[in-house]
Amino acid sequence: MPDTPLFGTIVNSDLAPVFTRGYPGPVHLDRSARIAAKNAFDPADAENALALLLAETLGMRLGETFFTGPLPALPRECVSVTLEPEQTGSDCDCRDGRALLRGKALLRHTLLGQCEKIFSLLPLTDWLTVEADNLTRGVTFCRLAPASPDGSFGIDCDGLHGFGVKIPLSFRLCITPPEPVFTS
């Protein structure tokens, strides 16, 4: 069965992004090679892959209206995603992490629409690999979900400057896909 494209059009086509759903297949490595692969993984790739996935979901251009790191002062309407430091854990095949998605807009309904698009993507519980020219290697998400402790999110009014939103995210990346385990 052919895979349906994740997005109808690609806004950041200059990065030649490829979004592939499904288990990428096992990587045949011993434990020490798996640990070395995890240690060699660049967290910037995870942040850039997440930014590309979310920017495409919102139909925004990276570096123009969607950014990595803190929200810039300009433009007045934009979104950013920032990886937060996280303990990598002991699983040598996967890496768990957290990120913070921030947005700002002059109109509240603009942010509501963006939140709706993001929440239509989440939770992502299937495997999704993101590849692009700005990544040193493909990044495979096993899970991506909102991480609000109480399950609620709010849009804040920032006086005359417009509206802002913060959405904490949690994710799990697969660094080296494990061998499938068959149960009887």
Side-chain angles (χ1 to χ4, degrees):
M1 172 188 331
D3 190 25
T4 339
L6 195 59
F7 305 106
T9 60
I10 300 294
V11 177
N12 296 284
S13 58
D14 55 318
L15 298 175
V18 176
F19 302 94
T20 308
R21 287 184 274 199
Y23 179 64
V27 173
H28 305 287
L29 299 172
D30 64 13
R31 180 164 171 74
S32 63
R34 288 177 179 277
I35 291 170
K38 183 176 181 181
N39 290 337
F41 183 76
D42 184 359
D45 279 341
E47 186 174 65
N48 289 330
L50 183 56
L52 183 57
L53 174 62
L54 296 175
E56 289 299 331
T57 300
L58 295 173
M60 300 175 105
R61 295 269 312 141
L62 285 173
E64 292 177 15
T65 55
F66 198 104
F67 301 90
T68 57
L71 276 173
L74 293 174
R76 294 190 60 189
E77 295 190 336
C78 62
V79 177
S80 75
V81 68
T82 305
L83 246 58
E84 296 179 343
E86 188 78 16
Q87 291 182 357
T88 60
S90 61
D91 183 349
C92 63
D93 291 325
C94 296
R95 185 178 196 129
D96 294 316
R98 295 178 59 83
L100 184 60
L101 180 69
R102 293 181 185 98
K104 64 179 182 175
L106 297 175
L107 301 173
R108 184 174 178 271
H109 79 272
T110 300
L111 278 181
L112 285 173
Q114 291 171 340
C115 290
E116 179 64 28
K117 287 180 181 179
I118 293 297
F119 289 133
S120 71
L121 173 72
L122 304 176
L124 177 69
T125 56
D126 298 329
W127 298 70
L128 177 68
T129 302
V130 178
E131 298 173 283
D133 288 347
N134 66 335
L135 305 175
T136 57
R137 60 174 274 184
V139 175
T140 301
F141 291 93
C142 308
R143 178 183 48 78
L144 177 60
S148 173
D150 61 358
S152 64
F153 303 93
I155 294 180
D156 301 319
C157 178
D158 190 16
L160 299 174
H161 301 291
F163 297 87
V165 67
K166 292 180 184 176
I167 302 173
L169 301 170
S170 68
F171 60 86
R172 174 166 258 215
L173 302 176
C174 182
I175 307 297
T176 52
E179 299 282 345
V181 176
F182 299 102
T183 58
S184 54

